Amino acid sequence: MNTLNLDMLNKLKEEFTKGNLDEAEKCCLSLLNSSPDCLETILLLEYQSNILRNKGKIAQAIDVREKQVEFLEKEFGKEHNRVASALHNLALLYARRGLLPKALELSEQAVNILKKNLAENDPKIADAVVNLSMQYYGLSKFDKAETLLKEALAIYLQAEGNDSFGASTCYNNLGRIYEHLDETEKAVEYHAKAVDIRKRTLGSHNETAFCLGNYATALAGNGQFKEAIDMFNEALAIYTELGLENSDTAQICLSNKQICVATTGHCP
């Protein structure tokens, strides 16, 4: 079996990192055509799927990721952690296509594999459980999504403590669930917890701004429009500081802030 051209592999990594997806894809296809061994093929299929995903070719990315799963199962067996990771990524692709029942099935497979292989408080299990909860959330099965998020939250808090980024994600997502369930005060409480963690651990970061925007939306839903405007302003200031003021999330924040201003007549 041939050995991968290391110069071409390094070029693939460099072009992908720079976002030069067409060049990265050419390198990847050239390497795949060089008869790589199984492990090398698994690596290249990882790149190929990510390239296609970033180019918006989700159906093709799914085909490649499914091929990678086949190679992983052949090399390591069907219940290996690397298979679970690939299933996780495949589930995300199916979710992007709106094929949530299939995404749910794959996410459940990934969780079951990891629970067989890892200690019960391993954060990797929590990561997979959060992904599974997202599929239930997408299917509007909020009670199941809530139960899974609380399971993941308990793992994060035990394994990583109160400053866990994973815990902040759980608080944020639980807040969104309580908004859907019209438990607005509870939604505000959980979003506040998410913001607190991200402010303390990340500072001026796009993930902090994202949580602030969600917190502001929950405050508005609870009738706290002045406080919501303040949180939108805080989020927008971070986006501007980071040069992300024209991003989709920043524009959503701005639009929602303007709605609050128009509703209450408060000075922006």
Side-chain angles (χ1 to χ4, degrees):
M1 196 66 70
N2 296 334
T3 301
L4 279 185
N5 183 321
L6 292 181
D7 289 338
M8 183 68 75
L9 180 60
N10 287 332
K11 184 180 180 184
L12 164 60
K13 294 176 180 178
E14 181 181 354
E15 298 294 349
F16 181 76
T17 301
K18 289 180 178 178
N20 299 330
L21 299 180
D22 288 339
E23 286 302 313
E25 188 171 22
K26 288 178 185 177
C27 294
C28 192
L29 290 173
S30 176
L31 289 166
L32 282 167
N33 288 332
S34 68
S35 300
D37 67 24
C38 189
L39 290 176
E40 292 166 345
T41 298
I42 289 168
L43 171 64
L44 293 171
L45 291 174
E46 178 80 21
Y47 272 106
Q48 188 181 26
S49 180
N50 289 336
I51 290 166
L52 291 167
R53 179 201 64 200
N54 290 352
K55 294 178 81 170
K57 298 179 178 180
I58 306 303
Q60 293 179 45
I62 286 173
D63 290 341
V64 172
R65 185 68 71 176
E66 288 182 333
K67 188 184 299 184
Q68 186 198 35
V69 170
E70 291 176 7
F71 275 92
L72 283 163
E73 290 178 344
K74 177 181 176 182
E75 183 72 15
F76 299 106
K78 291 188 175 183
E79 295 193 343
H80 193 276
N81 291 347
R82 291 186 64 175
V83 173
S85 178
L87 290 171
H88 166 91
N89 291 324
L90 183 56
L92 294 177
L93 291 172
Y94 271 106
R96 280 190 61 175
R97 290 206 72 196
L99 302 172
L100 294 178
K102 182 63 175 179
L104 177 62
E105 175 190 337
L106 294 167
S107 295
E108 286 181 331
Q109 288 179 34
V111 169
N112 290 336
I113 290 170
L114 293 176
K115 284 186 173 181
K116 288 179 182 177
N117 296 338
L118 300 174
E120 61 182 12
N121 65 338
D122 194 303
K124 291 186 180 68
I125 293 176
D127 294 341
V129 170
V130 169
N131 185 49
L132 178 57
S133 76
M134 289 168 57
Q135 316 312 334
Y136 279 106
Y137 177 89
L139 291 165
S140 298
K141 296 182 178 181
F142 300 122
D143 289 347
K144 182 64 174 177
E146 177 189 13
T147 298
L148 289 166
L149 283 170
K150 288 183 175 180
E151 176 187 340
L153 177 60
I155 294 172
Y156 286 130
L157 292 176
Q158 181 180 356
E160 300 177 344
N162 293 329
D163 289 340
S164 164
F165 180 86
S168 73
T169 299
C170 290
Y171 287 132
N172 177 81
N173 293 0
L174 283 164
R176 295 299 302 273
I177 287 172
Y178 295 134
E179 288 176 68
H180 282 286
L181 296 175
D182 292 325
E183 298 182 38
T184 55
E185 291 186 4
K186 206 169 183 179
V188 167
E189 174 190 348
Y190 276 80
H191 280 299
K193 291 180 179 181
V195 166
D196 177 62
I197 292 174
R198 293 196 178 177
K199 276 187 174 182
R200 286 188 290 102
T201 59
L202 299 178
S204 294
H205 191 282
N206 63 303
E207 291 284 358
T208 305
F210 176 76
C211 272
L212 279 164
N214 287 337
Y215 182 27
T217 301
L219 286 165
N222 199 42
Q224 297 173 255
F225 294 107
K226 183 178 183 305
E227 294 87 347
I229 292 169
D230 290 341
M231 291 300 105
F232 281 130
N233 282 336
E234 193 172 339
L236 289 166
I238 293 175
Y239 283 126
T240 299
E241 178 185 343
L242 298 175
L244 299 173
E245 62 270 22
N246 294 319
S247 66
D248 290 344
T249 48
Q251 290 304 304
I252 290 170
C253 269
L254 180 59
S255 176
N256 288 341
K257 172 195 163 182
Q258 290 170 340
I259 291 170
C260 289
V261 170
T263 300
T264 65
H266 281 299
C267 176

